[in-house]
Amino acid sequence: MERVCDPCWTCRNRRIQCDQSGTPCAKCEKAGMECFDKRPIRWVKGVAIRGKMQGRTHEGISNGSPVHNSRITKSAPSTPKKSHRALVQASAGNNERICKLFIVYDSDRNPFRSLISFGLKDPVLQKGILALAARHRANTGQSFHQLQAPTSDGLVNANRDALLFKHQAMEALSRVLGDETIVKSDTTVASIFLLIFLDLLEFGSDGWNFHLEGAKGLIALHRPLLEAQAGVNNGPGQTVQEIWGFISNQIHLIETLGATFLRPKVLSEFMFNGQASTQPQEEIEQSFLGCPEFLLSAIQFLSNERDAIAGKLPDGAALQTHIQDTTAMLELIQKFDCYAWTLSLQRSKQPSTDEISNLCKLSQTFKTGALIYGRRVLDALTETITEQDDLVSELLGLIASLKDDDALFKCVLWAIFVAGLECRSQAQKDFLVESLEKFWTDTSCSNVMTAAKILKDYWDQEDGLETSSRWIFDIGRLGRDCLLI
């Protein structure tokens, strides 16, 4: 193996010989460990790791402050400005994982990297980034089957840090939003946007939709300003317009997939700017989940059809129009060519044969999930029950085929949940629970715990349900408006 770099610190610390193959090195990658080229920064309680200063804090620095693994003298207390910089540096490892977690394929063009760069200059956005990193750190390593209140000192401190940073982020954002003299910048919207992802790490319930509504309101308010700022450079390689376009696209995705499991009409209508649909090619390196834009629009249409008939079916011609429109949409979804879509994607590098194949499978999970969801909407319109065993089996096969692709498997929670609401055999249910456990291991996102609990409760109740196929209406009440993506 060709050696291209110095031995990494992680291998030296483990007292094994580094293969020096790159960053990360092959040995760290195989062991699933973070590959550091030099001694990393650690999170500790207080300003020192050991000795008389252990557990003590400088004035103005909260417990959970990060420090280097080096001696700290009493004569050099950190200033508030320095402590903020140290906090950002200390969260670098978790921020790196966050960047990879909330995007399909990580690259230099990952918009989350630009948001983190902006956080160095904006205190509100910085606190949101720290809250994300601290919560992810607190979740990492906990058991899927026995997630409970932390008892060890390490977990107690990590959980306290996460709660502290979340409180600071919410408090800072509240001050900005409540001050009419402050211009609400792009970083303010980005801060709200990050709180939605924080909800994914914190069970995905009872909060994300409120953050979503706030972000949508600010985007609508600032649209004229954004148009005037088109082309203004506001970060490394990206413009204000590009950052807002990314946030707008992801909000469209989050509310579209999120709404499928909500009670009808919970979310307000969002005037999506259509940026992704007007581009000649979709960019996989700018996508959170890799759902094709056409399928996203189709799912949004089906969700709106569900909302339109919630509570009472229309009569006569209006009912026939809904049936015809829904049937036509299902035919369009069925005709969608996942392979052609995969080949059309814009990329910064040439994909391998395996990447093309797996991206095609990922798009097929959204296509199959959309067909299952749409058929249930059509069932409600026609007052029938369609057997969907063939589609469910197909979806389960697609989920299984993506299990070895860590980059893409983290995108399939929505499809897993759809399959869970339709599966009937115990073997299928066991497979889905195993899939949810792997999702937790790969992501440390606690909303998968919520998904598992809702499915188990639903499976316990479904034998007593009069019509189990009506989950498109009922699951929101059972799931408390959860974000399961």
Side-chain angles (χ1 to χ4, degrees):
M1 183 178 293
E2 182 181 0
R3 298 189 173 186
V4 297
C5 62
D6 294 331
C8 73
W9 178 88
T10 306
C11 285
R12 297 199 310 272
N13 189 54
R14 294 170 64 201
R15 293 182 172 83
I16 64 174
Q17 184 175 358
C18 179
D19 56 49
Q20 300 170 248
S21 57
T23 305
C25 72
K27 290 191 176 181
C28 286
E29 195 166 30
K30 184 177 180 180
M33 302 187 71
E34 196 81 14
C35 187
F36 295 105
D37 59 346
K38 57 186 178 180
R39 184 186 295 271
I41 297 168
R42 285 180 55 192
W43 290 72
V44 301
K45 180 182 178 182
V47 299
I49 298 170
R50 59 180 64 88
K52 294 181 179 180
M53 294 296 290
Q54 183 178 8
R56 296 180 60 184
T57 59
H58 291 303
E59 184 176 349
I61 302 179
S62 300
N63 284 347
S65 303
V67 296
H68 288 281
N69 286 343
S70 58
R71 184 175 300 172
I72 297 180
T73 62
K74 296 180 181 179
S75 60
S78 299
T79 64
K81 184 175 181 180
K82 288 182 180 178
S83 68
H84 279 304
R85 188 179 296 116
L87 285 170
V88 175
Q89 291 172 345
S91 64
N94 276 88
N95 283 338
E96 185 72 16
R97 288 186 284 272
I98 293 292
C99 286
K100 295 177 180 178
L101 177 60
F102 296 127
I103 208 77
V104 177
Y105 287 129
D106 187 28
S107 71
D108 291 340
R109 299 188 65 248
N110 185 342
F112 277 97
R113 296 189 180 280
S114 294
L115 290 181
I116 288 174
S117 297
F118 293 168
L120 294 172
K121 302 176 181 178
D122 185 272
V124 179
L125 181 57
Q126 181 186 107
K127 292 182 187 302
I129 293 168
L130 287 170
L132 264 181
R135 174 47 58 194
H136 190 264
R137 174 179 175 269
N139 288 356
T140 301
Q142 294 202 57
S143 168
F144 174 77
H145 296 286
Q146 296 180 338
L147 187 65
Q148 54 189 339
T151 54
S152 70
D153 289 344
L155 286 178
V156 168
N157 291 340
N159 193 57
R160 183 188 59 218
D161 291 343
L163 293 173
L164 172 64
F165 290 135
K166 178 185 179 181
H167 172 75
Q168 291 177 347
M170 298 286 284
E171 193 176 55
L173 184 60
S174 178
R175 283 197 300 269
V176 170
L177 294 175
D179 191 338
E180 296 297 330
T181 65
I182 299 176
V183 177
K184 311 304 186 293
S185 67
D186 50 302
T187 53
T188 305
V189 177
S191 301
I192 300 174
F193 175 64
L194 290 183
L195 290 177
I196 298 173
F197 288 95
L198 182 59
D199 285 329
L200 292 180
L201 294 173
E202 289 188 328
F203 301 108
S205 61
D206 304 328
W208 71 272
N209 47 325
F210 297 106
H211 300 316
L212 187 71
E213 293 297 316
K216 284 155 57 177
L218 280 182
I219 286 176
L221 183 66
H222 281 71
R223 211 163 251 146
L225 176 62
L226 292 176
E227 293 171 358
Q229 288 182 314
V232 177
N233 194 356
N234 196 39
Q238 291 202 320
T239 66
V240 173
Q241 192 81 1
E242 287 173 328
I243 288 292
W244 278 68
F246 168 73
I247 291 176
S248 179
N249 287 346
Q250 303 322 306
I251 284 176
H252 174 52
L253 181 147
I254 289 167
E255 79 163 354
T256 297
L257 295 182
T260 56
F261 303 133
L262 288 181
R263 291 167 292 126
K265 303 177 183 178
V266 169
L267 297 177
S268 66
E269 184 178 359
F270 177 47
M271 298 303 293
F272 174 55
N273 66 6
Q275 177 177 335
S277 59
T278 59
Q279 291 178 341
Q281 293 177 307
E282 294 179 46
E283 297 185 63
I284 196 63
E285 291 164 342
Q286 300 277 304
S287 177
F288 169 30
L289 293 178
C291 179
E293 179 59 34
F294 168 76
L295 293 179
L296 199 60
S297 298
I299 293 169
Q300 184 178 48
F301 172 86
L302 295 170
S303 185
N304 289 339
E305 286 292 289
R306 179 206 66 166
D307 288 4
I309 62 174
K312 182 180 180 181
L313 283 176
D315 297 323
L319 177 60
Q320 290 306 311
T321 298
H322 282 292
I323 292 174
Q324 291 169 6
D325 290 347
T326 302
T327 302
M329 179 56 74
L330 286 170
E331 291 172 353
L332 289 173
I333 296 171
Q334 187 67 61
K335 292 176 182 177
F336 180 75
D337 190 332
C338 293
Y339 184 71
W341 173 82
T342 303
L343 293 180
S344 73
L345 288 171
Q346 182 176 333
R347 299 174 175 88
S348 61
K349 64 178 182 178
Q350 186 67 26
S352 67
T353 302
D354 286 343
E355 285 175 337
I356 292 174
S357 175
N358 285 348
L359 270 174
C360 183
K361 291 174 184 176
L362 177 63
S363 65
Q364 286 176 317
T365 65
F366 287 107
K367 174 180 176 176
T368 309
L371 286 172
I372 291 172
Y373 189 86
R375 284 188 181 182
R376 288 303 177 219
V377 174
L378 187 59
D379 281 353
L381 285 163
T382 57
E383 298 184 297
T384 58
I385 300 176
T386 303
E387 291 295 329
Q388 305 211 75
D389 292 348
D390 54 341
L391 284 176
V392 173
S393 295
E394 179 183 344
L395 185 55
L396 292 173
L398 289 166
I399 293 168
S401 68
L402 291 173
K403 273 195 168 184
D404 293 331
D405 191 324
D406 293 340
L408 301 189
F409 190 75
K410 67 178 185 289
C411 303
V412 299
L413 182 57
W414 184 82
I416 291 174
F417 198 75
V418 170
L421 293 167
E422 286 286 336
C423 73
R424 294 294 175 263
S425 75
Q426 188 59 48
Q428 290 176 335
K429 294 174 183 178
D430 291 343
F431 166 77
L432 289 173
V433 171
E434 291 172 4
S435 298
L436 292 171
E437 182 175 4
K438 175 172 171 52
F439 188 93
W440 164 254
T441 302
D442 290 352
T443 67
S444 298
C445 287
S446 295
N447 68 327
V448 71
M449 304 290 192
T450 303
K453 183 180 186 307
I454 294 171
L455 282 179
K456 288 178 180 178
D457 290 345
Y458 179 75
W459 292 336
D460 289 341
Q461 296 178 23
E462 67 177 340
D463 291 338
L465 295 176
E466 184 177 347
T467 309
S468 60
S469 63
R470 289 181 61 85
W471 58 261
I472 57 169
F473 299 108
D474 299 333
I475 200 62
R477 287 185 283 274
L478 185 62
R480 295 175 301 149
D481 300 331
C482 293
L483 183 59
L484 305 176
I485 60 175

Short mmCIF file of all heavy atoms in Angstrom, two decimals, residues 11 72 96 102 119-120 128 157 189 201 223 232 247 264 267 280 282 308 311 393 432 436-437 446:
data_model
loop_
_atom_site.label_atom_id
_atom_site.label_comp_id
_atom_site.label_asym_id
_atom_site.label_seq_id
_atom_site.Cartn_x
_atom_site.Cartn_y
_atom_site.Cartn_z
N CYS A 11 -3.76 6.16 15.54
CA CYS A 11 -3.03 4.89 15.56
C CYS A 11 -1.89 4.93 16.58
O CYS A 11 -1.65 3.95 17.31
CB CYS A 11 -2.47 4.58 14.17
SG CYS A 11 -3.73 4.00 12.99
N ILE A 72 -3.12 24.17 31.65
CA ILE A 72 -3.75 25.48 31.67
C ILE A 72 -3.29 26.21 32.91
O ILE A 72 -3.41 25.70 34.02
CB ILE A 72 -5.28 25.37 31.68
CG1 ILE A 72 -5.73 24.69 30.38
CG2 ILE A 72 -5.93 26.72 31.83
CD1 ILE A 72 -7.23 24.53 30.30
N GLU A 96 -17.99 17.69 11.85
CA GLU A 96 -17.63 16.91 10.66
C GLU A 96 -18.66 15.80 10.44
O GLU A 96 -19.10 15.57 9.31
CB GLU A 96 -16.24 16.31 10.85
CG GLU A 96 -15.69 15.56 9.66
CD GLU A 96 -15.29 16.48 8.51
OE1 GLU A 96 -15.16 17.70 8.75
OE2 GLU A 96 -15.15 15.98 7.40
N PHE A 102 -26.30 15.08 7.38
CA PHE A 102 -27.46 15.75 6.82
C PHE A 102 -27.30 16.07 5.33
O PHE A 102 -27.86 17.05 4.84
CB PHE A 102 -27.78 17.01 7.62
CG PHE A 102 -28.19 16.71 9.04
CD1 PHE A 102 -27.55 17.33 10.11
CD2 PHE A 102 -29.19 15.80 9.32
CE1 PHE A 102 -27.92 17.06 11.43
CE2 PHE A 102 -29.57 15.52 10.63
CZ PHE A 102 -28.94 16.15 11.68
N GLY A 119 -20.86 30.44 11.00
CA GLY A 119 -21.02 30.42 12.44
C GLY A 119 -19.83 30.99 13.19
O GLY A 119 -19.97 31.38 14.36
N LEU A 120 -18.67 31.05 12.55
CA LEU A 120 -17.50 31.65 13.19
C LEU A 120 -17.70 33.14 13.42
O LEU A 120 -17.08 33.73 14.29
CB LEU A 120 -16.25 31.43 12.34
CG LEU A 120 -15.79 29.97 12.19
CD1 LEU A 120 -14.68 29.87 11.16
CD2 LEU A 120 -15.33 29.42 13.52
N GLY A 128 -26.40 27.57 17.51
CA GLY A 128 -27.18 26.50 16.90
C GLY A 128 -26.31 25.34 16.45
O GLY A 128 -26.66 24.16 16.64
N ASN A 157 -22.68 14.55 31.79
CA ASN A 157 -22.06 15.80 31.35
C ASN A 157 -22.40 16.12 29.90
O ASN A 157 -22.68 17.26 29.54
CB ASN A 157 -20.54 15.73 31.51
CG ASN A 157 -20.12 15.71 32.98
OD1 ASN A 157 -20.89 16.11 33.86
ND2 ASN A 157 -18.91 15.24 33.24
N VAL A 189 -32.20 32.81 9.56
CA VAL A 189 -32.98 31.73 8.98
C VAL A 189 -32.22 30.41 9.09
O VAL A 189 -32.80 29.37 9.40
CB VAL A 189 -33.32 32.02 7.50
CG1 VAL A 189 -34.07 30.85 6.88
CG2 VAL A 189 -34.16 33.28 7.39
N LEU A 201 -32.46 14.95 16.02
CA LEU A 201 -31.59 14.32 17.02
C LEU A 201 -32.29 14.15 18.35
O LEU A 201 -31.89 13.32 19.17
CB LEU A 201 -30.33 15.16 17.21
CG LEU A 201 -29.38 15.26 16.01
CD1 LEU A 201 -28.26 16.26 16.29
CD2 LEU A 201 -28.79 13.90 15.66
N ARG A 223 -37.63 37.40 0.61
CA ARG A 223 -37.47 37.05 -0.80
C ARG A 223 -37.07 38.25 -1.67
O ARG A 223 -36.18 38.14 -2.52
CB ARG A 223 -38.76 36.41 -1.31
CG ARG A 223 -38.52 35.40 -2.39
CD ARG A 223 -39.70 34.48 -2.59
NE ARG A 223 -39.44 33.14 -2.13
CZ ARG A 223 -40.35 32.35 -1.59
NH1 ARG A 223 -41.56 32.77 -1.41
NH2 ARG A 223 -40.03 31.13 -1.23
N VAL A 232 -24.05 38.12 -4.68
CA VAL A 232 -23.17 38.71 -3.66
C VAL A 232 -22.46 37.60 -2.91
O VAL A 232 -23.09 36.68 -2.39
CB VAL A 232 -23.99 39.57 -2.67
CG1 VAL A 232 -23.08 40.12 -1.58
CG2 VAL A 232 -24.68 40.71 -3.41
N ILE A 247 -31.43 26.15 1.65
CA ILE A 247 -32.34 26.08 2.80
C ILE A 247 -33.79 25.96 2.32
O ILE A 247 -34.57 25.15 2.85
CB ILE A 247 -32.16 27.31 3.71
CG1 ILE A 247 -30.78 27.26 4.39
CG2 ILE A 247 -33.26 27.38 4.76
CD1 ILE A 247 -30.47 28.48 5.23
N PRO A 264 -53.84 15.96 9.04
CA PRO A 264 -54.10 16.81 7.87
C PRO A 264 -54.14 18.30 8.22
O PRO A 264 -54.63 18.70 9.27
CB PRO A 264 -55.47 16.33 7.39
CG PRO A 264 -55.53 14.90 7.83
CD PRO A 264 -54.84 14.89 9.17
N LEU A 267 -49.63 22.01 8.58
CA LEU A 267 -48.66 22.97 8.06
C LEU A 267 -49.33 23.98 7.13
O LEU A 267 -50.28 23.66 6.43
CB LEU A 267 -47.55 22.25 7.29
CG LEU A 267 -46.69 21.27 8.10
CD1 LEU A 267 -45.69 20.57 7.19
CD2 LEU A 267 -45.96 21.99 9.22
N PRO A 280 -31.43 22.47 -14.91
CA PRO A 280 -31.39 21.39 -15.89
C PRO A 280 -31.03 20.05 -15.26
O PRO A 280 -31.42 19.00 -15.74
CB PRO A 280 -30.32 21.85 -16.88
CG PRO A 280 -29.48 22.85 -16.13
CD PRO A 280 -30.43 23.51 -15.18
N GLU A 282 -30.46 18.02 -11.29
CA GLU A 282 -30.47 18.06 -9.84
C GLU A 282 -29.06 17.73 -9.33
O GLU A 282 -28.35 16.94 -9.93
CB GLU A 282 -31.49 17.07 -9.28
CG GLU A 282 -32.92 17.43 -9.63
CD GLU A 282 -33.92 16.41 -9.11
OE1 GLU A 282 -33.80 16.03 -7.93
OE2 GLU A 282 -34.81 16.02 -9.87
N ALA A 308 -57.46 17.20 1.41
CA ALA A 308 -58.70 17.71 0.82
C ALA A 308 -59.90 16.83 1.16
O ALA A 308 -61.04 17.31 1.19
CB ALA A 308 -58.55 17.82 -0.70
N GLY A 311 -61.90 13.89 6.72
CA GLY A 311 -63.15 14.18 7.43
C GLY A 311 -64.39 13.86 6.63
O GLY A 311 -65.33 13.26 7.13
N SER A 393 -43.18 -5.87 -0.43
CA SER A 393 -42.03 -6.77 -0.59
C SER A 393 -40.92 -6.10 -1.40
O SER A 393 -39.73 -6.24 -1.08
CB SER A 393 -42.47 -8.06 -1.30
OG SER A 393 -43.37 -8.79 -0.49
N LEU A 432 -37.69 -4.85 9.92
CA LEU A 432 -37.78 -3.39 10.00
C LEU A 432 -37.22 -2.87 11.32
O LEU A 432 -36.59 -1.81 11.36
CB LEU A 432 -39.21 -2.94 9.79
CG LEU A 432 -39.73 -3.09 8.35
CD1 LEU A 432 -41.21 -2.79 8.27
CD2 LEU A 432 -38.96 -2.18 7.40
N LEU A 436 -34.23 -0.23 11.72
CA LEU A 436 -34.28 0.97 12.54
C LEU A 436 -33.10 1.02 13.49
O LEU A 436 -32.52 2.10 13.74
CB LEU A 436 -35.59 1.01 13.33
CG LEU A 436 -36.87 1.21 12.51
CD1 LEU A 436 -38.11 1.01 13.39
CD2 LEU A 436 -36.90 2.60 11.88
N GLU A 437 -32.71 -0.13 14.02
CA GLU A 437 -31.54 -0.18 14.91
C GLU A 437 -30.27 0.22 14.16
O GLU A 437 -29.44 0.97 14.67
CB GLU A 437 -31.37 -1.57 15.52
CG GLU A 437 -30.21 -1.65 16.49
CD GLU A 437 -30.10 -3.00 17.18
OE1 GLU A 437 -30.90 -3.90 16.85
OE2 GLU A 437 -29.23 -3.13 18.06
N SER A 446 -32.35 10.54 17.28
CA SER A 446 -33.33 9.93 18.16
C SER A 446 -34.73 9.86 17.57
O SER A 446 -35.60 9.19 18.13
CB SER A 446 -33.39 10.70 19.49
OG SER A 446 -32.18 10.59 20.20
#
